[in-house]
Amino acid sequence: MPVQLHIHDKPLEVAHRFTTYLLETMAGKDHFTMALSGGSTPQVLFQLWATQYRHDFNWSALHLYWGDERCVPPSDPQSNYGVCRSLLLDHVAIPPENIHRIHGESHPAEEAARYCHTIWDTISMEGDYPAFDLVMLGMGDDGHTASIFPHQLPLFNDSRLAVVATHPVSGQQRISLTGTLINNAHEVAFLVTGSNKHAKLREILDKKPAAQAYPAFYVQPDTGALHWFMDQAAWKGSDEE
C-alpha cells in the first residue's frame, strides 16, 4: 500500500493539486466512480470545479457518491449533498443519473440499507466488495473520517457498506461509508488543512500508539494507493508556520 504525501502552502494550492491529480487519474476513462467528502476544503474544490475547471472534466464519465451525510434534508445548510449541489452540481453538465446521493431526509437505518444496495448495484466488484475508483476523505481534529468517530470505532470495520453513526457532541445521526468499503477502493485521498489537524495528522503518519484510537488511522487501502493532500499548517502546526 504506497502512501504519497502532497504538501502545499495554502488550502487553495491543495485544492488545485488535488484537482490535477483527479484529472490525471480520470484521463481516458469513460466511467469513473468517486465518493465525495463534506467539510470546508471540498467547498473550495467544488467552487474551482464549477469555474476554472468546468471544461476540463468529462462530466458524463464521472459518477458521484458521498462518503457520509447528515440526516437532514438537502435544503438544510448542513447537508453535504445540498452544499455540493449549490456550489457545483447546479453549474456543470453532469447527467442527473450520475449523481448517487444519500437521502438524508429519509429514515436513517432504512436509508443506510438502501445506500448499501445502491453501491452493490452500481459499483464494480474487486474481490468480495465493490471498489470505488477514488474515495475522497477529510479528517476531523478528533481523528474521525467520513462519519466514523472515535467513540464508535467498531463501525469502521463493520461488514456492511454503510451504517448509521452518531456525532459524539450533538447526537446528530449521520450515514457513513465503512472502512470495509473505503479500504477496498482503487485510490483513497485525504484532504487535510488547518493547524488544528496537525497533532492527529502527525500521530497517524508517524504511527504513534495514540493514533490507534482514531478512525483515520485505519484507512489503509488493501491494494490501492493512499494519498494525503495537506497544507503547511496541517503538516507543521501553528508553532512552525
Side-chain angles (χ1 to χ4, degrees), residues 16-92:
H16 279 291
R17 182 63 190 95
F18 174 78
T19 302
T20 301
Y21 152 77
L22 174 58
L23 290 171
E24 291 171 350
T25 305
M26 288 183 61
K29 298 179 180 177
D30 58 10
H31 189 91
F32 190 88
T33 57
M34 178 180 180
L36 299 174
S37 67
S40 57
T41 300
Q43 291 181 32
V44 176
L45 276 178
F46 300 155
Q47 291 172 319
L48 284 177
W49 296 354
T51 53
Q52 295 185 41
Y53 293 97
R54 65 180 303 176
H55 300 300
D56 296 305
F57 279 91
N58 179 2
W59 296 109
S60 63
L62 183 59
H63 285 254
L64 295 178
Y65 299 75
W66 273 260
D68 67 324
E69 181 59 279
R70 297 167 174 87
C71 293
V72 297
S75 57
D76 191 295
Q78 294 190 63
S79 168
N80 288 337
Y81 164 74
V83 169
C84 182
R85 182 182 64 187
S86 65
L87 296 178
L88 174 65
L89 302 178
D90 286 347
H91 308 286
V92 297

Side-chain angles (χ1 to χ4, degrees), residues 95-142:
E97 61 270 21
N98 289 17
I99 300 169
H100 308 272
R101 77 176 181 94
I102 298 172
H103 298 161
E105 69 275 23
S106 298
H107 183 277
E110 293 176 1
E111 178 55 17
R114 186 199 69 83
Y115 209 57
C116 286
H117 287 299
T118 294
I119 293 169
W120 281 112
D121 292 343
T122 59
I123 302 290
S124 298
M125 298 288 289
E126 186 73 36
D128 294 332
Y129 288 95
F132 283 103
D133 290 305
L134 173 64
V135 173
M136 183 175 80
L137 294 172
M139 186 191 75
D141 56 13
D142 60 354

Side-chain angles (χ1 to χ4, degrees), residues 212-225:
Q212 296 179 32
Y214 314 144
F217 174 78
Y218 297 96
V219 176
Q220 301 171 11
D222 298 327
T223 58

